[in-house]
Amino acid sequence: MTKRVTVYDISKRLGLSPSTVSRVLNNSSLISTEKKELILRTAEEMGYQKRAIKRQKGRAIINIRLFLPKTQFSYIHLFYDVAELIEGIQHGFGETRVNIITSLNDGDLSLFDSKKLGDIDGCIFAFTKPSDALEELLEDRSVPFILLNRSNPEHNYVLVDNLVGMDALVAAMYKKRGGSLKPCYVGFSKLPSVSEQREMGVYKGCMARNIPFDREKDVIMVDSLTELREKVLPAIEKHSYNGVFCFNDLMAVSLYQTALRRNWRVPDLFSLTGFDNSPMLQLLDQRIDTIEFSLLKLGKEAGMWLNGRIINRLDNAIQKALEGDYIVGETI
């Protein structure tokens, strides 16, 4: 009996990842034409036959697994309301009955072996990404998945437009301080992909307005909030920065409080911005200028896309950036 040719056989011959091969064989539009043609041609030459996947269009309830970051990133839960995200997902599915099962993205693949919860019809990765092993498992089983506030050119995702959001903050600070503005960006090394996008937003915003900004000298990266006192405040003092763009609201709040302990007044000494419009901003006596991050909108977009894939059998890809709203505060 001839051995069935698998995705892994094709990927081994071409030196590509199994997930990339699987996406092409499942009609993904996110792979380049050249690579797509190579994979399809090789699959035909090797005699690959796609395994039939049973789809239950009339199922009463759709099962969606929502993956959240591991506990080592527990600070995320300080300003992201998971209940709001779930509400958005449910709105996106409309009249379709959906069962949302939450899990930590800790690499445990046995979750998909459990029969107690039924088959998983789709997955959402919020503020996290699947491991290579999990990605290959999902692709092999033709389970659609989408990333929220994370991006990958070969994946489906919805995120907040960090470039546009940061540009709005740069514009507001420039309007206040004009040509005297000397800005810096405080980034977070633990989330490099998001931090780099927001840094780029500051850089492009400054370049568009002829504001001097050196991505080598004017970017201060921290590993933890404790480094704000050790690295950021000395840098502000040494270089006379009068505009500080923080990676997010948590960092902005912490920097505000740290500066206050030195009797540094904001915005007298320097203007300050955050990002995400976290509920924690209400704890300060001054409202920090920020960009609103709507979990409701992100969840709704994810729900609509998965509903189209699972219920209506649509093959459309989604790579979407949502524009956040500038929330005017008192710190610019």
Side-chain angles (χ1 to χ4, degrees):
M1 187 174 180
T2 305
K3 180 178 178 292
R4 184 174 70 89
V5 176
T6 68
V7 166
Y8 299 95
D9 297 324
I10 301 171
S11 68
K12 184 177 181 180
R13 173 175 290 192
L14 294 177
L16 299 172
S17 70
S19 57
T20 297
V21 173
S22 181
R23 276 195 288 274
V24 169
L25 298 177
N26 284 300
N27 301 317
S28 172
S29 59
L30 301 176
I31 310 299
S32 67
T33 302
E34 183 179 353
K35 187 180 292 185
K36 188 173 184 178
E37 291 176 349
L38 174 62
I39 292 172
L40 292 175
R41 184 169 63 251
T42 303
E44 184 178 1
E45 292 171 356
M46 295 178 67
Y48 171 81
Q49 291 184 337
K50 189 173 181 179
R51 183 175 60 183
I53 303 295
K54 294 182 179 180
R55 294 291 188 186
Q56 300 182 30
K57 187 172 183 179
R59 181 186 292 179
I61 299 177
I62 297 298
N63 289 320
I64 299 297
R65 189 172 287 280
L66 171 62
F67 285 93
L68 298 172
K70 294 185 290 187
T71 51
Q72 69 186 76
F73 297 122
S74 58
Y75 62 87
I76 285 179
H77 306 294
L78 293 174
F79 45 89
Y80 291 154
D81 186 350
V82 177
E84 183 182 355
L85 174 61
I86 291 174
E87 181 183 359
I89 295 170
Q90 291 173 330
H91 284 176
F93 272 93
E95 296 181 357
T96 302
R97 295 176 63 191
V98 57
N99 179 33
I100 301 174
I101 308 154
T102 59
S103 302
L104 290 179
N105 187 19
D106 56 5
D108 183 6
L109 302 183
S110 65
L111 293 169
F112 291 87
D113 296 330
S114 174
K115 299 300 180 183
K116 295 180 180 179
L117 299 176
D119 294 329
I120 299 299
D121 297 291
C123 293
I124 298 173
F125 291 85
F127 322 112
T128 184
K129 293 181 179 180
S131 65
D132 291 342
L134 180 51
E135 182 182 328
E136 290 174 11
L137 185 151
L138 295 175
E139 296 284 2
D140 185 54
R141 296 189 182 184
S142 297
V143 177
F145 66 91
I146 185 170
L147 311 182
L148 293 186
N149 212 39
R150 297 293 183 270
S151 63
N152 184 308
E154 292 189 355
H155 288 165
N156 294 287
Y157 62 79
V158 181
L159 47 73
V160 170
D161 196 323
N162 293 302
L163 298 181
V164 172
M166 278 300 186
D167 182 77
L169 295 174
V170 172
M173 200 175 289
Y174 180 66
K175 183 178 180 181
K176 176 67 176 181
R177 293 189 176 268
S180 67
L181 176 60
K182 189 174 182 181
C184 69
Y185 170 74
V186 183
F188 188 47
S189 61
K190 299 294 185 180
L191 290 175
S193 60
V194 180
S195 186
E196 288 170 8
Q197 289 175 11
R198 294 180 180 178
E199 175 193 330
M200 179 60 71
V202 173
Y203 171 72
K204 288 189 173 183
C206 288
M207 292 304 97
R209 296 166 180 85
N210 296 316
I211 304 169
F213 185 86
D214 189 320
R215 296 188 70 190
E216 294 293 329
K217 299 178 181 178
D218 299 329
V219 175
I220 309 167
M221 297 300 296
V222 299
D223 298 323
S224 66
L225 296 177
T226 58
E227 292 186 352
L228 295 176
R229 177 174 56 84
E230 302 165 1
K231 293 178 65 174
V232 180
L233 291 189
I236 292 174
E237 192 170 33
K238 179 180 178 180
H239 300 288
S240 300
Y241 292 124
N242 60 8
V244 181
F245 298 95
C246 286
F247 164 72
N248 64 11
D249 293 333
L250 178 59
M251 188 173 290
V253 168
S254 298
L255 182 59
Y256 178 94
Q257 293 175 324
T258 304
L260 200 60
R261 283 194 285 271
R262 279 202 185 187
N263 293 319
W264 290 7
R265 302 298 303 178
V266 176
D268 296 344
L269 186 64
F270 62 86
S271 297
L272 177 67
T273 66
F275 205 104
D276 296 334
N277 195 28
S278 161
M280 69 170 56
L281 296 182
Q282 300 173 19
L283 300 176
L284 298 183
D285 58 345
Q286 285 180 286
R287 191 69 163 81
I288 291 179
D289 291 66
T290 188
I291 299 296
E292 184 175 33
F293 183 112
S294 176
L295 281 181
L296 194 67
K297 291 180 182 178
L298 285 179
K300 185 175 181 180
E301 290 284 349
M304 288 191 297
W305 181 79
L306 283 170
N307 190 60
R309 272 293 177 95
I310 299 167
I311 301 299
N312 300 319
R313 312 294 198 277
L314 301 178
D315 288 328
N316 60 306
I318 182 171
Q319 292 185 336
K320 191 170 186 179
L322 304 177
E323 186 172 335
D325 296 323
Y326 170 38
I327 306 299
V328 180
E330 304 166 288
T331 57
I332 282 186

